[in-house]
Amino acid sequence: MVTHAGLAAFADEQRERFGVTAHSRALSFASTSFDASVLELLLAFGAGATMVIAPPTVLGGVELHELLDEQTITHAFVTPAALATVDPAGLDHLEAVVVGGDACTADLVSRWAPRRRMFNAYGPTEATVAVTISDSLVAGETVTIGGPIRGVDAMVLDSRLHSVPGRVVGELYVCGDGLARGYLATPRSRQRGSSPTRTDPKALGCTAPGILCVKIAHGRLSISDARTTRSRSEGSGSNSVKSTRCWRRRRPCIRL
């Protein structure tokens, strides 16, 4: 379950960050079982843009290239794996492409970023959709997941829930209106405690999606090579919620 505030904030974030207008043409490519489908809905509806729904037979490659070209798509969200199968040549009308759901490689950025704006989004299942989005990526520079979007506070903490300095690996914690309220008809998953940060007492809860990050310049985050604190048995999105203790505040928070 997601909040109206989280949806509204994410719609505003996309419209302004990606430059969507009423004249834009946004692609609907993700499965409705993937939360990126909500990203696509808000991408179009948030600006009164046209939404072009991809046929279910289009999965990538030449077929996706033809769809982007024939429908003059200006804004699209595509997973890195699917985007890697598409030739970017001839898609000059594609103004912005957003990737997420998997690691974005430097090679993919070098292929797609030079002629358009390219963004890398990250969000755990327990967020409205995303919690961080990069600035426009530049070929040859470090690929980051950016910083927290509106409605989200992001922190990189050590095992004692102390903020880590720049370039030091820590675990990502997020809180704010951008978080979902839990799974429908699963009351336990809606139990959220206070944020471990002293600077945001009004935060609605804190969640740790199990991602290891480092803070780099200008508030941007880069996922560590170690990537995750989750064990193989815990899964990667629909895993059960585990309780942990935010000792710094002596109050419970949620760790996934």
Side-chain angles (χ1 to χ4, degrees):
M1 296 183 294
V2 298
T3 66
H4 289 178
L7 288 169
F10 190 61
D12 290 342
E13 182 76 31
Q14 290 197 109
R15 184 179 63 253
E16 295 182 16
R17 186 180 292 258
F18 304 148
V20 189
T21 71
H23 302 291
S24 300
R25 295 174 63 83
L27 178 66
S28 174
F29 181 62
S31 165
T32 54
S33 63
F34 184 19
D35 60 1
S37 63
V38 178
L39 178 156
E40 294 171 336
L41 288 169
L42 297 176
L43 186 65
F45 299 160
T50 298
M51 170 174 276
V52 178
I53 300 176
T57 55
V58 175
L59 302 176
V62 175
E63 293 84 1
L64 180 55
H65 183 283
E66 291 177 350
L67 179 66
L68 293 169
D69 184 29
E70 293 172 1
Q71 296 296 328
T72 59
I73 301 298
T74 61
H75 294 76
F77 172 90
V78 185
T79 61
L83 192 64
T85 67
V86 181
D87 183 355
L91 298 177
D92 295 337
H93 50 270
L94 184 60
E95 300 173 12
V97 60
V98 186
V99 294
D102 199 357
C104 176
T105 65
D107 178 66
L108 193 64
V109 175
S110 68
R111 290 179 55 208
W112 283 90
R115 293 183 176 273
R116 62 194 54 81
R117 290 173 297 140
M118 183 178 184
F119 302 88
N120 189 21
Y122 166 73
T125 302
E126 293 75 17
T128 298
V129 179
V131 292
T132 68
I133 301 177
S134 71
D135 292 331
S136 185
L137 298 172
V138 178
E141 295 187 0
T142 301
V143 179
T144 77
I145 58 172
I149 62 175
R150 66 188 69 192
V152 175
D153 186 19
M155 301 159 283
V156 181
L157 308 178
D158 63 18
S159 60
R160 301 185 64 181
L161 301 179
H162 294 169
S163 181
V164 300
R167 300 290 179 179
V168 173
V169 176
E171 188 168 5
L172 177 65
Y173 283 76
V174 291
C175 55
D177 289 338
L179 290 186
R181 292 296 169 260
Y183 296 98
L184 184 64
T186 310
R188 180 171 295 182
S189 72
R190 293 195 293 269
Q191 295 174 359
R192 296 190 181 276
S194 298
S195 166
T197 175
R198 297 177 183 273
T199 61
D200 190 11
K202 295 183 179 180
L204 298 179
C206 179
T207 212
I211 296 296
L212 298 177
C213 292
V214 293
K215 293 186 291 187
I216 57 179
H218 309 299
R220 296 174 298 165
L221 301 174
S222 178
I223 295 179
S224 166
D225 291 339
R227 298 190 62 78
T228 181
T229 61
R230 287 177 178 162
S231 66
R232 186 176 298 274
S233 62
E234 286 180 291
S236 59
S238 58
N239 57 298
S240 60
V241 176
K242 291 183 174 182
S243 292
T244 190
R245 181 66 61 178
C246 290
W247 296 107
R248 198 175 180 187
R249 289 291 300 271
R250 301 290 180 181
R251 296 180 183 176
C253 66
I254 297 298
R255 181 176 179 173
L256 305 179

